[in-house]
Amino acid sequence: MNRIKHLRETNPLVVCVTNDVVKNFTANGMLAVGASPIMSGEKSEAEDLMKAASGLLINIGTADEMKKDLMSKMISEANRNGVPVVFDPVGYGASKFRSTLTDTFLDTYRIDLIKGNAGEMLALSGAESELKGVDSSEKTDTLEIAEAVYDKFQVPVLVTGERDALVTGDRKAVMTDGHGLQGKITGSGCLAGAMAAAFIGIEQPFNSQSVVDAVSFYNLCAEAAVESTRIPAPGTFPANLIDQLYLNENDILSDKKVEVL
Protein backbone atom coordinates (compact mmCIF):
# COMPACT_ATOMS: atom_id res chain seq x y z
CA MET A 1 0.00 0.00 0.00
CA ASN A 2 1.24 3.52 -0.84
CA ARG A 3 0.61 5.00 2.61
CA ILE A 4 2.26 8.35 1.93
CA LYS A 5 0.11 8.96 -1.13
CA HIS A 6 -2.96 7.80 0.78
CA LEU A 7 -2.13 10.12 3.67
CA ARG A 8 -1.68 13.11 1.38
CA GLU A 9 -4.87 12.38 -0.53
CA THR A 10 -6.81 11.89 2.71
CA ASN A 11 -5.24 14.90 4.48
CA PRO A 12 -6.36 13.62 7.90
CA LEU A 13 -7.33 16.12 10.58
CA VAL A 14 -5.25 15.38 13.67
CA VAL A 15 -6.01 17.23 16.88
CA CYS A 16 -2.84 17.75 18.90
CA VAL A 17 -3.05 18.57 22.58
CA THR A 18 0.67 18.68 22.97
CA ASN A 19 3.76 20.17 24.53
CA ASP A 20 3.74 23.99 24.28
CA VAL A 21 7.44 23.95 23.44
CA VAL A 22 6.95 21.95 20.23
CA LYS A 23 3.64 23.09 18.75
CA ASN A 24 5.17 25.01 15.84
CA PHE A 25 7.60 22.23 14.93
CA THR A 26 4.88 19.59 15.21
CA ALA A 27 2.42 21.58 13.09
CA ASN A 28 4.97 22.27 10.37
CA GLY A 29 6.10 18.64 10.29
CA MET A 30 2.52 17.41 10.04
CA LEU A 31 1.72 19.83 7.22
CA ALA A 32 4.88 18.76 5.39
CA VAL A 33 3.99 15.08 5.49
CA GLY A 34 0.45 15.77 4.30
CA ALA A 35 -1.73 15.84 7.41
CA SER A 36 -3.89 18.67 8.71
CA PRO A 37 -3.03 19.50 12.35
CA ILE A 38 -5.09 21.49 14.84
CA MET A 39 -3.35 22.62 18.01
CA SER A 40 -6.27 22.82 20.39
CA GLY A 41 -6.29 24.43 23.82
CA GLU A 42 -10.03 24.74 24.45
CA LYS A 43 -12.06 21.92 25.94
CA SER A 44 -15.40 23.36 24.80
CA GLU A 45 -14.52 22.57 21.18
CA ALA A 46 -13.77 18.91 21.87
CA GLU A 47 -17.22 17.70 20.85
CA ASP A 48 -17.06 19.49 17.49
CA LEU A 49 -13.45 18.57 16.72
CA MET A 50 -13.85 14.91 17.51
CA LYS A 51 -16.72 14.64 15.05
CA ALA A 52 -14.33 15.64 12.26
CA ALA A 53 -10.95 14.37 13.44
CA SER A 54 -9.12 11.31 12.15
CA GLY A 55 -6.78 11.14 15.13
CA LEU A 56 -5.97 12.64 18.51
CA LEU A 57 -2.54 13.12 20.06
CA ILE A 58 -2.31 13.68 23.81
CA ASN A 59 1.21 14.69 24.91
CA ILE A 60 1.63 15.64 28.59
CA GLY A 61 4.95 17.41 28.14
CA THR A 62 3.67 20.73 29.55
CA ALA A 63 0.49 19.50 31.22
CA ASP A 64 -1.07 21.35 34.16
CA GLU A 65 -4.37 21.24 36.06
CA MET A 66 -6.24 23.20 33.38
CA LYS A 67 -4.81 21.10 30.56
CA LYS A 68 -5.75 17.97 32.49
CA ASP A 69 -9.43 18.89 32.04
CA LEU A 70 -8.83 19.70 28.37
CA MET A 71 -7.10 16.37 27.75
CA SER A 72 -9.78 14.45 29.61
CA LYS A 73 -12.56 16.05 27.57
CA MET A 74 -10.73 15.46 24.28
CA ILE A 75 -10.09 11.78 24.98
CA SER A 76 -13.66 11.27 26.18
CA GLU A 77 -15.08 12.73 22.97
CA ALA A 78 -12.55 10.81 20.87
CA ASN A 79 -13.69 7.58 22.50
CA ARG A 80 -17.31 8.54 21.91
CA ASN A 81 -16.69 9.11 18.19
CA GLY A 82 -14.28 6.26 17.53
CA VAL A 83 -11.30 8.54 16.95
CA PRO A 84 -7.97 6.76 17.63
CA VAL A 85 -5.91 8.22 20.48
CA VAL A 86 -2.11 8.28 20.73
CA PHE A 87 -0.95 9.01 24.28
CA ASP A 88 2.58 10.20 25.09
CA PRO A 89 3.36 10.07 28.86
CA VAL A 90 6.24 12.55 28.68
CA GLY A 91 8.35 12.46 31.82
CA TYR A 92 6.41 9.68 33.49
CA GLY A 93 8.02 8.98 36.84
CA ALA A 94 9.64 12.41 37.08
CA SER A 95 6.80 13.77 39.24
CA LYS A 96 3.73 12.53 41.08
CA PHE A 97 1.54 14.81 38.94
CA ARG A 98 2.71 13.28 35.65
CA SER A 99 2.47 9.73 36.94
CA THR A 100 -0.99 10.20 38.45
CA LEU A 101 -2.28 11.95 35.33
CA THR A 102 -1.05 9.14 33.10
CA ASP A 103 -2.32 6.38 35.37
CA THR A 104 -5.76 8.00 35.52
CA PHE A 105 -6.06 8.40 31.75
CA LEU A 106 -4.89 4.86 31.03
CA ASP A 107 -7.30 3.46 33.61
CA THR A 108 -10.25 5.56 32.44
CA TYR A 109 -10.13 5.82 28.65
CA ARG A 110 -9.49 3.74 25.56
CA ILE A 111 -6.03 4.47 24.20
CA ASP A 112 -4.99 3.10 20.80
CA LEU A 113 -1.23 3.59 21.13
CA ILE A 114 1.02 4.45 24.08
CA LYS A 115 4.20 6.07 22.76
CA GLY A 116 7.21 7.22 24.74
CA ASN A 117 10.96 7.08 25.15
CA ALA A 118 12.76 4.23 26.85
CA GLY A 119 13.18 5.89 30.24
CA GLU A 120 9.61 7.04 30.79
CA MET A 121 8.18 3.83 29.35
CA LEU A 122 10.38 1.73 31.62
CA ALA A 123 9.00 3.70 34.55
CA LEU A 124 5.46 3.20 33.21
CA SER A 125 6.03 -0.54 33.05
CA GLY A 126 6.56 -0.58 36.81
CA ALA A 127 10.08 -1.98 36.55
CA GLU A 128 12.67 -0.83 39.05
CA SER A 129 14.73 1.91 37.44
CA GLU A 130 16.73 5.03 38.13
CA LEU A 131 15.66 6.47 34.79
CA LYS A 132 13.55 9.61 35.04
CA GLY A 133 12.40 12.39 32.75
CA VAL A 134 12.55 13.08 29.04
CA ASP A 135 16.33 12.84 28.69
CA SER A 136 16.75 9.35 30.15
CA SER A 137 19.56 7.21 28.83
CA GLU A 138 18.58 3.87 27.35
CA LYS A 139 19.86 1.15 29.68
CA THR A 140 17.28 -1.49 28.82
CA ASP A 141 16.35 -2.90 25.43
CA THR A 142 13.41 -1.01 23.92
CA LEU A 143 11.68 -4.22 22.84
CA GLU A 144 11.78 -5.57 26.39
CA ILE A 145 10.32 -2.31 27.66
CA ALA A 146 7.57 -2.33 25.03
CA GLU A 147 6.71 -5.92 25.93
CA ALA A 148 6.50 -5.02 29.62
CA VAL A 149 4.21 -2.04 29.01
CA TYR A 150 2.02 -4.06 26.67
CA ASP A 151 1.74 -6.86 29.22
CA LYS A 152 0.62 -4.34 31.83
CA PHE A 153 -1.97 -2.42 29.79
CA GLN A 154 -2.82 -4.69 26.83
CA VAL A 155 -2.58 -1.62 24.58
CA PRO A 156 -0.30 -1.26 21.52
CA VAL A 157 3.03 0.25 22.59
CA LEU A 158 5.73 2.18 20.75
CA VAL A 159 9.03 2.76 22.56
CA THR A 160 11.44 5.14 20.85
CA GLY A 161 15.20 5.14 21.11
CA GLU A 162 18.23 4.14 19.10
CA ARG A 163 16.06 1.14 18.19
CA ASP A 164 12.32 1.85 18.05
CA ALA A 165 10.13 -1.04 19.18
CA LEU A 166 6.44 -1.69 18.54
CA VAL A 167 4.44 -4.35 20.39
CA THR A 168 0.77 -5.05 19.65
CA GLY A 169 -1.52 -7.98 20.23
CA ASP A 170 -0.34 -9.75 17.10
CA ARG A 171 3.01 -8.22 16.22
CA LYS A 172 6.42 -7.23 17.51
CA ALA A 173 8.70 -5.11 15.36
CA VAL A 174 12.02 -3.33 15.82
CA MET A 175 12.91 -0.37 13.58
CA THR A 176 16.53 0.73 13.30
CA ASP A 177 16.48 3.68 10.90
CA GLY A 178 17.09 7.23 12.09
CA HIS A 179 19.95 9.50 13.16
CA GLY A 180 21.43 10.63 16.44
CA LEU A 181 20.54 14.27 15.76
CA GLN A 182 16.91 13.37 16.44
CA GLY A 183 17.92 13.13 20.08
CA LYS A 184 19.61 16.54 20.01
CA ILE A 185 16.53 18.65 19.26
CA THR A 186 13.38 19.38 21.21
CA GLY A 187 10.22 17.83 19.85
CA SER A 188 11.51 15.00 17.70
CA GLY A 189 9.56 12.39 19.63
CA CYS A 190 6.54 14.68 19.91
CA LEU A 191 6.32 14.96 16.12
CA ALA A 192 6.75 11.20 15.80
CA GLY A 193 3.71 10.73 18.04
CA ALA A 194 1.64 13.12 15.95
CA MET A 195 2.66 11.32 12.77
CA ALA A 196 1.66 8.00 14.29
CA ALA A 197 -1.77 9.46 15.05
CA ALA A 198 -2.10 10.60 11.44
CA PHE A 199 -1.11 7.22 9.98
CA ILE A 200 -3.31 5.28 12.40
CA GLY A 201 -6.24 7.57 11.63
CA ILE A 202 -6.32 6.81 7.91
CA GLU A 203 -6.51 3.04 8.46
CA GLN A 204 -9.17 1.75 10.81
CA PRO A 205 -9.34 -0.64 12.52
CA PHE A 206 -5.85 -0.31 13.99
CA ASN A 207 -3.15 -1.57 11.63
CA SER A 208 0.29 -2.11 13.17
CA GLN A 209 1.96 -1.69 9.77
CA SER A 210 0.74 1.89 9.64
CA VAL A 211 2.73 2.63 12.81
CA VAL A 212 5.81 0.88 11.44
CA ASP A 213 5.59 2.93 8.26
CA ALA A 214 4.99 6.19 10.15
CA VAL A 215 8.09 5.67 12.28
CA SER A 216 10.21 4.39 9.40
CA PHE A 217 9.24 7.23 7.08
CA TYR A 218 10.03 9.79 9.77
CA ASN A 219 13.39 8.21 10.58
CA LEU A 220 14.40 7.80 6.94
CA CYS A 221 13.56 11.46 6.35
CA ALA A 222 15.80 12.30 9.31
CA GLU A 223 18.64 10.39 7.68
CA ALA A 224 18.00 12.21 4.39
CA ALA A 225 17.99 15.55 6.22
CA VAL A 226 21.46 14.84 7.59
CA GLU A 227 22.74 13.71 4.20
CA SER A 228 21.46 16.91 2.57
CA THR A 229 23.25 19.16 5.04
CA ARG A 230 26.85 20.25 4.50
CA ILE A 231 27.56 20.42 8.23
CA PRO A 232 24.80 18.58 10.13
CA ALA A 233 24.01 20.24 13.45
CA PRO A 234 20.99 20.71 15.76
CA GLY A 235 20.25 24.23 14.51
CA THR A 236 19.77 23.40 10.83
CA PHE A 237 18.52 19.84 11.27
CA PRO A 238 14.86 20.62 12.18
CA ALA A 239 14.30 22.74 9.06
CA ASN A 240 15.95 20.14 6.83
CA LEU A 241 13.87 17.40 8.43
CA ILE A 242 10.65 19.23 7.61
CA ASP A 243 11.89 19.69 4.03
CA GLN A 244 12.51 15.96 3.72
CA LEU A 245 9.09 15.08 5.14
CA TYR A 246 7.65 17.21 2.35
CA LEU A 247 9.94 16.06 -0.48
CA ASN A 248 10.01 12.30 0.04
CA GLU A 249 7.51 9.80 -1.31
CA ASN A 250 6.48 6.28 -0.41
CA ASP A 251 9.45 4.75 -2.26
CA ILE A 252 11.78 5.80 0.56
CA LEU A 253 10.14 3.08 2.65
CA SER A 254 11.72 0.44 0.44
CA ASP A 255 14.93 1.12 2.40
CA LYS A 256 13.39 0.74 5.85
CA LYS A 257 15.16 -1.52 8.33
CA VAL A 258 12.51 -3.46 10.24
CA GLU A 259 12.84 -6.73 12.10
CA VAL A 260 9.49 -8.43 12.65
CA LEU A 261 9.52 -10.90 15.52
Side-chain angles (χ1 to χ4, degrees), residues 185-238:
I185 62 171
T186 299
S188 179
C190 303
L191 175 53
M195 284 186 57
F199 277 71
I200 292 170
I202 62 173
E203 283 187 71
Q204 288 297 303
F206 181 92
N207 183 346
S208 59
Q209 187 60 43
S210 65
V211 181
V212 171
D213 283 353
V215 174
S216 297
F217 185 77
Y218 182 56
N219 288 340
L220 287 164
C221 286
E223 291 181 3
V226 172
E227 292 172 1
S228 68
T229 306
R230 187 172 65 87
I231 303 177
T236 54
F237 175 65

Side-chain angles (χ1 to χ4, degrees), residues 43-186:
K43 68 179 181 180
S44 67
E45 66 179 2
E47 183 176 354
D48 292 333
L49 291 181
M50 287 306 117
K51 289 178 181 177
S54 295
L56 170 65
L57 169 69
I58 298 292
N59 175 311
I60 69 166
T62 53
D64 55 33
E65 286 293 337
M66 291 185 64
K67 289 176 186 172
K68 178 174 72 173
D69 292 339
L70 165 67
M71 292 173 177
S72 180
K73 182 64 173 177
M74 286 289 182
I75 303 174
S76 177
E77 290 298 326
N79 286 177
R80 188 191 311 276
N81 289 279
V83 176
V85 180
V86 173
F87 183 77
D88 192 338
V90 178
Y92 185 93
S95 72
K96 183 177 179 181
F97 174 78
R98 291 174 185 269
S99 298
T100 301
L101 179 66
T102 295
D103 292 342
T104 299
F105 284 168
L106 293 178
D107 287 343
T108 305
Y109 301 110
R110 187 190 73 246
I111 303 298
D112 295 83
L113 179 70
I114 307 171
K115 175 261 158 208
N117 71 30
E120 58 209 12
M121 295 293 267
L122 181 57
L124 182 62
S125 75
E128 290 294 325
S129 173
E130 296 179 355
L131 303 181
K132 290 186 178 182
V134 296
D135 297 318
S136 302
S137 59
E138 187 176 313
K139 296 183 179 180
T140 305
D141 184 76
T142 50
L143 179 61
E144 293 179 4
I145 297 170
E147 291 172 330
V149 176
Y150 180 83
D151 288 344
K152 182 176 180 179
F153 295 102
Q154 296 297 299
V155 171
V157 174
L158 173 64
V159 178
T160 58
E162 186 174 342
R163 289 158 36 101
D164 301 312
L166 174 70
V167 174
T168 69
D170 60 359
R171 190 175 195 186
K172 297 177 183 180
V174 175
M175 296 144 279
T176 56
D177 295 299
H179 193 275
L181 276 179
Q182 288 169 272
K184 300 296 184 181
I185 62 171
T186 299

